[in-house]
Amino acid sequence: LPMDVCPRSAMDTTLGARVLVTGVTGFVGPFVLAALLAKGHHVICLVRAINWKAAWDRVTRSLAYVHLWDERWHQCLDVVCGDMSPQFGLEDVAYGELARTVGTVVHMAAKVNMEQDYGFHRQVNVLGTVEVLRFAAVAGAFVIHTSTTDGPPRTAVESLDAQPCDVDAVHGGYPKSKWVAERLVAEAHKRGVGVCVVRLGMVVGDSRTGRCNANDVFCRILIGFQQTGAFPELPVGARMIRGLCAE
């Protein structure tokens, strides 16, 4: 973790009351965003887009897809065009203004491809996490970092100070990138950045609406079950989390 990722001073956390969310257009993202808005938080979404309108449309479409968009949220939802590059791709003034208004960062942005190696995932999953931690250090913000039990072979609940598992026990590019990201978060915690890691298991559809990511490997497998008329034996203890996990 770069040495500049360190809280510069004790900051008044009441000054930055807004929540910055990354990865809101993914599958888990809309559920988390809706839960935050429903609880009255003012949320800013960091979204890859060519302009503000395109970013807004991406966010509202994601919410509408899972039947969660509410017109009343216009007043408490905003978007910023950016990505996981240095300073989120923002100019100095915009970056500084964002840091002055944010008190919490919910980091869900990730690149996921189980066929690709670590190098493919490093820019977004590892260096992107560095940028989130750097921003939190500047803003004096608390970071909620989403990870997965399908990556590092760890339990869902564990202290950040716990001894990390050996990287050799982690197989595949995506899981390795999440292992590294968790270690970066743990190091930031040691330096005084407020952090929490939330490890999700396999996320499936919403139990109330049935909405799911139709292109997710689990959904494709379910389609295969229906087509073949066969169902395999699942591993004992397999964890599946519905859309309700956002609450």
Side-chain angles (χ1 to χ4, degrees):
L1 187 67
M3 293 307 300
D4 66 309
V5 182
C6 186
R8 298 177 182 178
S9 61
M11 299 183 67
D12 183 357
T13 56
T14 61
L15 295 178
R18 299 184 179 184
V19 180
L20 177 66
V21 180
T22 73
V24 74
T25 57
F27 181 57
V28 176
F31 293 96
V32 173
L33 174 59
L36 289 169
L37 292 170
K39 292 179 184 297
H41 295 285
H42 190 122
V43 181
I44 303 172
C45 301
L46 185 72
V47 186
R48 286 185 296 109
I50 59 174
N51 55 43
W52 186 92
K53 184 179 185 307
W56 177 266
D57 288 345
R58 286 194 68 194
V59 172
T60 54
R61 279 199 304 267
S62 295
L63 286 167
Y65 177 76
V66 292
H67 299 171
L68 291 175
W69 171 243
D70 189 324
E71 291 292 338
R72 294 173 296 179
W73 291 341
H74 275 284
Q75 301 303 315
C76 54
L77 174 64
D78 201 357
V79 296
V80 172
C81 296
D83 52 32
M84 290 292 98
S85 62
Q87 281 196 182
F88 299 149
L90 303 175
E91 298 292 338
D92 290 347
V93 174
Y95 186 79
E97 180 60 28
L98 187 64
R100 281 190 291 274
T101 60
V102 170
T104 303
V105 182
V106 180
H107 179 41
M108 296 179 287
K111 179 174 282 190
V112 185
N113 188 321
M114 294 302 181
E115 295 182 350
Q116 296 294 335
D117 61 10
Y118 172 81
F120 174 85
H121 296 89
R122 181 174 181 268
Q123 178 60 52
V124 174
N125 298 358
V126 176
L127 300 184
T129 297
V130 171
E131 290 305 317
V132 168
L133 295 171
R134 179 177 282 120
F135 174 83
V138 171
F142 186 86
V143 177
I144 299 174
H145 173 80
T146 58
S147 191
T148 171
T149 54
D150 296 329
R154 312 300 294 271
T155 58
V157 179
E158 182 179 65
S159 168
L160 277 167
D161 296 322
Q163 183 68 23
C165 64
D166 195 311
V167 69
D168 292 335
V170 183
H171 304 288
Y174 169 70
K176 284 184 185 295
S177 72
K178 299 303 287 186
W179 184 93
V180 174
E182 279 201 21
R183 299 325 308 154
L184 292 170
V185 172
E187 177 60 28
H189 171 66
K190 293 178 181 178
R191 297 182 188 181
V193 178
V195 296
C196 171
V197 175
V198 179
R199 291 190 183 132
L200 304 179
M202 181 183 296
V203 179
V204 294
D206 191 319
S207 63
R208 297 167 298 188
T209 67
R211 282 291 183 174
C212 62
N213 180 0
N215 293 317
D216 180 76
V217 62
F218 182 74
C219 291
R220 303 307 301 176
I221 289 173
L222 290 180
I223 293 172
F225 295 165
Q226 190 274 331
Q227 291 174 336
T228 62
F231 190 85
E233 291 185 7
L234 294 175
V236 175
R239 301 175 66 246
M240 297 181 187
I241 301 185
R242 304 164 294 172
L244 287 169
C245 69
E247 300 177 1

